[in-house]
Every structure is written in structure tokens, then in C-alpha cells.
């Protein structure tokens, strides 16, 4: 869901720490699967997300994604649809630090509200094999269930490229409260590893798990993604 999906104890985190870089003539599709094992008397729950992204030019790109939820004994349910528009801000020649601004919009099938958001995306190339990413996110909800306050979130990752085009990373997702109560107390926090690798012919995979560091985050949030670049 990109910046627009708040996590709860029973919701899968299918979000990522995005890159601010845009490559001309880039296109790709991705399937994301999320699984939260049942805990505290709750059943397992699953999420399916389908992405299609493409560059508009050398400085901007667009991504569309749809998310579906699935619970035992229930039919697959359409959850929401998102549009993400990214603008790269730093020069194409930037070698160490790259930055961009992304605008997000979500249409929800309920019970969550519609939302719009703005994200500040950053990437630092620390060495030829190591890079860090960081995002600051602000979202505003609309509709009958909406909170008037602006919600804030931070995301970060540190990744290292291994032999054979494999990547190992540690990801962090941290809610920061809202404009009414900007605080780290009682906010959702998740941290965990991922590993990515090639499948051939432009296909790749990513697998990982997020561990809940707060009471309202699931103990485990299992993620498996399959991507194709054209």
C-alpha cells in the first residue's frame, strides 16, 4: 500500500522502503504475498497485492497497485487501490545521495478511509555493495471513519549486495503518531530481514519476515514477493 496502509495486529504489511531513483523506459510488475500467523486466539490472515509500475520520463514514474485480503472461512476481499506518483529531485549524476518526492492516493473498499499522502524518499550509496534508504511519510484520511489529524511514519533499510546478485537487507517500519499526538509511545513498530535473488529472464524474488516490537504489531509478518522487470 505504500505510504497509505496503517498496520494493525491482524493486517499484513505489504509495504516497502522505496527508492527515489527513476530510470527511463522502466516497466515492471510485482506480486506481493503477506501472511500473519494466528496468535492470541486469532486465525491466520493473508494479503495479496498486485503492482504495475512504469517511468513517465527520466525524472518521474507512476505505480498502480491493488490489495486483497483473505481470512480462513471467508472469500477473497478487495481491500484498496493505490496510485503513486514519484518525482526524482536530485541530479541524475548524484552518486552518494539521491532524493525524491512521492504523492500517493488510496481508494478503499472499507472499513479503512480514503487517504492521500506525501513521501520523502532517500537513498545513500555507502559503498559499491552497501546502501541505505529512508522515508518520511505524512498521510491524511477522508470519509466517515477518517481522523482529522495528519499521520506520520518513518521507514528505513540497510542492504548489502552478495555474490550472485543476491541482496540481504534489514527493514524497519515505525509509526510516529499524528499532528495531534506526535510520539513514539504506543505506536506500531516492525523490524526484520529480507533476502532477494534472481530467477532469470528479468524475474526476481524477495522473502522475509517482520518482527513486531510493539503490542499492536503482529509477532511475525511473513512476506514473499515475485517481480518482473521489462
Amino acid at each position: 500500500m505504500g505510504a497509505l496502509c496503517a498496520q494493525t495486529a491482524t493486517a499484513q504489511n505489504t509495504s516497502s522502503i522505496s527508492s527515489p531513483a527513476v530510470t527511463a523506459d522502466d516497466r515492471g510488475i510485482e506480486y506481493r504475498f503477506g501472511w500473519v500467523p494466528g496468535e492470541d486466539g486469532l486465525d491466520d490472515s493473508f494479503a495479496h497485492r498486485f503492482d504495475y509500475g512504469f517511468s513517465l520520463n527520466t525524472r518521474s514514474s507512476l505505480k498502480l497497485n491493488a490489495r486483497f485480503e483473505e481470512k480462513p472461512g471467508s472469500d477473497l476481499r478487495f481491500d484498496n487501490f493505490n496510485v503513486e506518483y514519484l518525482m526524482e529531485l536530485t541530479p541524475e549524476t548524484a552518486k552518494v545521495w539521491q532524493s525524491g518526492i512521492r504523492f500517493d492516493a488510496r481508494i478503499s473498499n472499507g472499513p479503512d478511509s480514503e487517504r492521500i499522502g506525501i513521501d520523502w524518499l532517500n537513498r545513500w550509496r555507502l559503498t559499491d555493495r552497501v546502501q541505505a534508504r529512508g522515508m518520511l511519510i505524512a498521510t491524511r484520511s477522508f470519509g466517515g471513519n477518517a481522523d482529522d489529524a495528519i499521520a506520520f511514519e518513518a521507514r528505513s533499510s540497510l542492504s548489502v549486495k552478495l555474490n550472485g546478485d543476491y541482496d540481504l537487507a534489514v527493514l524497519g517500519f515505525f509509526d510516529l503518531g499524528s499532528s495531534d499526538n506526535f510520539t513514539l509511545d504506543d505506536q506500531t513498530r516492525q523490524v526484520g530481514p529480507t533476502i532477494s535473488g534472481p530467477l532469470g529472464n528479468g524475474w526476481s524474488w524477495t522473502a522475509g519476515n517482520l518482527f513486531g516490537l510493539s503490542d499492536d504489531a503482529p509477532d511475525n509478518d511473513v512476506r514473499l514477493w515475485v517481480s518482473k522487470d521489462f
Side-chain angles (χ1 to χ4, degrees), residues 58-169:
T58 60
R59 307 291 291 173
S60 63
S61 66
L62 191 69
K63 177 181 282 190
L64 312 174
N65 69 70
R67 187 177 188 273
F68 297 80
E69 290 186 343
E70 183 180 3
K71 298 183 183 298
S74 301
D75 295 332
L76 187 69
R77 186 187 76 88
F78 168 66
D79 186 31
N80 58 58
F81 180 78
N82 293 267
V83 179
E84 303 172 355
Y85 174 66
L86 170 65
M87 295 188 301
E88 186 176 1
L89 300 179
T90 47
E92 294 290 332
T93 55
K95 297 185 181 300
V96 177
W97 172 56
Q98 294 172 291
S99 185
I101 293 290
R102 196 179 75 195
F103 300 93
D104 302 338
R106 183 184 77 183
I107 299 174
S108 175
N109 188 36
D112 295 329
S113 303
E114 280 65 44
R115 295 183 183 177
I116 59 172
I118 183 169
D119 313 355
W120 181 29
L121 284 62
N122 298 275
R123 180 171 71 175
W124 297 268
R125 297 183 182 273
L126 306 179
T127 71
D128 291 340
R129 299 168 65 102
V130 179
Q131 68 170 261
R133 294 184 185 181
M135 297 176 62
L136 290 176
I137 302 163
T139 59
R140 174 68 161 80
S141 298
F142 297 90
N145 298 324
D147 188 338
D148 291 336
I150 298 173
F152 298 98
E153 180 187 349
R155 301 178 188 169
S156 62
S157 70
L158 182 66
S159 64
V160 57
K161 184 168 289 296
L162 308 175
N163 294 331
D165 290 329
Y166 292 90
D167 290 276
L168 183 64

